[in-house]
Amino acid sequence: MNLKTAILFVLLIINYSCNVSQEGTDCSLVDCAIEQWFSIELVDASGNNLITNGTYSLSEISINYNESEVDVIPFNSNDFLNFIVDNKGGENTYSIILSDSEIDTLTLNLVELNQTSECCGPYFDIETATYNTTDYEVLHNENRNFFKIKVVK
């Protein structure tokens, strides 16, 4: 076998052994590391954090969405209620269970963003946040994947 034939044979094997899908990206290989976090800081009229001062215990607080419990996630400190926004566009209502006798309501109005990934998302912008019928300004980071409100109770 001459050298040209051997090189052609090797190139053909390499070409056919790389099973490149013509159907787009294999989403099972994509790590969608960006999640959208929402954080609630509960404060009194003087600005004191109600979790830090012991008024509420983070271990006793739960969050429900559509009768399913949402994970409250510790993040940097245990002074805030943190959870991942993973819902649908429009109004999304959460029950914030602070104790057996105190249940608050959080309504987030989500607007779906234009998708740049066929595997990850959908991602949302939080247009408004209403906590117990009071509208709060939604603060966000530069990447718009972390949102926060400060609630005065």
Side-chain angles (χ1 to χ4, degrees), residues 28-86:
S28 67
L29 301 174
V30 177
D31 181 14
C32 300
I34 298 176
E35 296 179 305
Q36 293 185 285
W37 290 67
F38 193 81
S39 183
I40 304 169
E41 182 179 11
L42 301 172
V43 298
D44 62 18
S46 300
N48 300 309
N49 186 297
L50 298 176
I51 295 172
T52 304
N53 74 11
T55 302
Y56 300 114
S57 172
L58 196 58
S59 64
E60 296 175 6
I61 297 173
S62 63
I63 301 174
N64 288 342
Y65 176 77
N66 281 345
E67 299 183 24
S68 295
E69 190 164 349
V70 176
D71 291 331
V72 177
I73 303 168
F75 182 71
N76 287 343
S77 71
N78 290 325
D79 301 344
F80 304 95
L81 300 176
N82 301 300
F83 62 95
I84 294 172
V85 176
D86 187 24

Side-chain angles (χ1 to χ4, degrees), residues 8-24:
L8 180 61
F9 183 70
V10 169
L11 289 176
L12 285 172
I13 290 174
I14 291 172
N15 185 44
Y16 286 106
S17 66
C18 297
N19 185 13
V20 178
S21 172
Q22 300 299 319
E23 298 174 10

Side-chain angles (χ1 to χ4, degrees), residues 85-135:
V85 176
D86 187 24
N87 297 311
K88 297 181 170 37
E91 280 193 3
N92 291 268
T93 302
Y94 298 83
S95 296
I96 313 296
I97 304 164
L98 300 168
S99 69
D100 290 337
S101 60
E102 189 174 5
I103 301 174
D104 291 350
T105 302
L106 169 68
T107 302
L108 300 177
N109 188 9
L110 306 178
V111 177
E112 190 169 343
L113 299 173
N114 292 332
Q115 302 302 305
T116 58
S117 170
E118 63 185 86
C119 297
C120 301
Y123 296 112
F124 298 94
D125 201 11
I126 299 177
E127 194 170 73
T128 60
T130 305
Y131 194 96
N132 288 347
T133 70
T134 302
D135 292 335

